[in-house]
Amino acid sequence: MATALITGASNGIGLELAKVHASKGGDLVLVARNIAKLNELKAELEKQYQVKVYTIGKDLSAPNAALEVYEETKKQHIQIDYLINNAGFGDFGMFVDLDWSKQLQMINLNITTLTHFTHLYLQDMVKRKSGKIMNVASTAAFQSGPTMAVYYATKAYVLSFSEAIDNEVSDKGITVTALCPGATESGFQAAASMEESALVKGKKLPTSQAVAIYGYDAMLKGKTVAIHGFMNAVMANSVRFTPRALVVKITRKLQDKAH
Ligand SMILES: NC(=O)c1ccc[n+]([C@@H]2O[C@H](COP(=O)([O-])OP(=O)(O)OC[C@H]3O[C@@H](n4cnc5c(N)ncnc54)[C@H](OP(=O)(O)O)[C@@H]3O)[C@@H](O)[C@H]2O)c1
């Protein structure tokens, strides 16, 4: 059974992806900052599913974080068959008012580290002529997003990058999947300070578990773009037939603070 490396496995969608993979009998490398939570999950999964779990506590927004994790897995002689770039966060508010260092960390995590991980592990996968990569994008990837401008732009990058790399490696036994969840119940809303946004306030959101089960299955099938939820798929596709200026206005309305 394949070994999966999952970033952002201490909470939300990443934690649930780890559970799904372990339930199939797969070993894991789990990465996030909160090493205590990772080790708690390691103990639970090793006991319940008799799998091997290796944990790495790392701030993935720091320069060279991906290389350090890659070198650690090499040192441990762990072959990564599935790379799941899930760690990410957003920030809610008018761009001009937001803290710059948080935007930079977001770009580093959501874009730079994800791209570097892909570059590192893809080289090994190409040599083996097998492997799967799943990059967690978002329905935010399909249009620009006033009040979360940088976040939406990072996810547009993830979608664009994933589709292109999938095309480049499709004849090498490797698949790349961009998982695009809509608003999902997790620690994301608190981390992005967006609890007051009309997008989530008072709304019953899908669980991280439902998104993880869907995403994992899409990765195994080698689906290139996997949008969770029927209405999310309809909306993501409808923007292609709607004037861009109108799409931005509608997104602003959906995103703004609930009144
Ligand atoms: N929830 C949604 O509504 C939603 C919708 C679409 C897409 N997504 C995407 O889904 C992915 C997972 O988010 P989630 O909803 O599961 O949110 P979450 O519950 O907040 O989990 C985020 C995970 O990322 C890790 N992380 C954050 N900053 C990190 C850093 N600097 N270094 C290493 N790890 C870091 C966190 O672990 P530590 O804090 O321990 O580091 C945590 O495990 C993200 O890419 C997000 O953009 C979420």
Side-chain angles (χ1 to χ4, degrees), residues 1-4 6 16-28 45 48-52 82 84 209 212-221:
M1 179 61 192
T3 297
I6 304 179
E16 295 297 337
L17 282 164
K19 287 185 179 172
V20 176
H21 184 70
S23 74
K24 316 263 181 212
D27 293 341
L28 282 155
L45 298 180
Q48 196 170 352
Y49 300 112
Q50 288 79 53
V51 294
K52 272 194 284 178
Y82 301 166
I84 302 183
Q209 185 189 36
I213 291 169
Y214 168 79
Y216 190 86
D217 183 57
M219 177 185 75
L220 290 193
K221 288 183 176 141

Side-chain angles (χ1 to χ4, degrees), residues 7-8 60 85-90 106 109-110 136 151 155 188 191:
T7 67
L60 295 175
N85 282 305
N86 161 78
F89 73 90
M106 194 198 308
L109 178 65
N110 297 10
V136 181
Y151 177 72
K155 293 302 178 177
F188 181 84

Side-chain angles (χ1 to χ4, degrees), residues 8-13 32-34 58-61 86-88 109 136-138 151 155 181-184 186-189:
S10 63
N11 204 51
I13 298 167
R33 289 167 303 183
N34 192 331
K58 182 77 66 186
D59 180 352
L60 295 175
S61 68
N86 161 78
L109 178 65
V136 181
S138 167
Y151 177 72
K155 293 302 178 177
T184 303
S186 74
F188 181 84
Q189 288 74 28

Side-chain angles (χ1 to χ4, degrees), residues 5-6 9 13 69 72 84 90 109 124 133 148 152 154 169 180-181 187 196-197 202 204 207-210 213 253 257:
L5 184 149
I6 304 179
I13 298 167
V69 170
E72 178 75 16
I84 302 183
L109 178 65
D124 295 338
I133 297 175
M148 289 184 90
Y152 273 59
T154 66
V169 299
C180 302
E196 292 303 311
S197 164
K204 174 115 187 66
T207 62
S208 289
Q209 185 189 36
I213 291 169
K253 230 180 165 46
K257 284 190 179 171

Side-chain angles (χ1 to χ4, degrees), residues 26-42:
D27 293 341
L28 282 155
V29 176
L30 306 180
V31 192
R33 289 167 303 183
N34 192 331
I35 188 73
K37 276 179 109 179
L38 291 182
N39 284 335
E40 217 175 277
L41 182 61
K42 166 187 162 80

Side-chain angles (χ1 to χ4, degrees), residues 4 10 13 33 35 50 54-55 62 64 69 73 90 110 146 149 156 164-165 175 202 205 207 216 220 228 231 241 244:
S10 63
I13 298 167
R33 289 167 303 183
I35 188 73
Q50 288 79 53
Y54 189 78
T55 58
N64 281 325
V69 170
T73 57
N110 297 10
I165 304 303
T175 60
L205 303 178
T207 62
Y216 190 86
L220 290 193
H228 179 253
M231 278 317 289
F241 310 105
R244 289 181 73 88

Side-chain angles (χ1 to χ4, degrees), residues 70-98:
Y70 177 78
E71 283 173 348
E72 178 75 16
T73 57
K74 284 273 155 189
K75 203 169 117 199
Q76 299 298 326
H77 304 289
I78 303 171
Q79 176 180 307
I80 302 302
D81 305 297
Y82 301 166
L83 168 65
I84 302 183
N85 282 305
N86 161 78
F89 73 90
D91 198 16
F92 182 74
M94 294 298 157
F95 173 66
V96 71
D97 300 327
L98 294 175

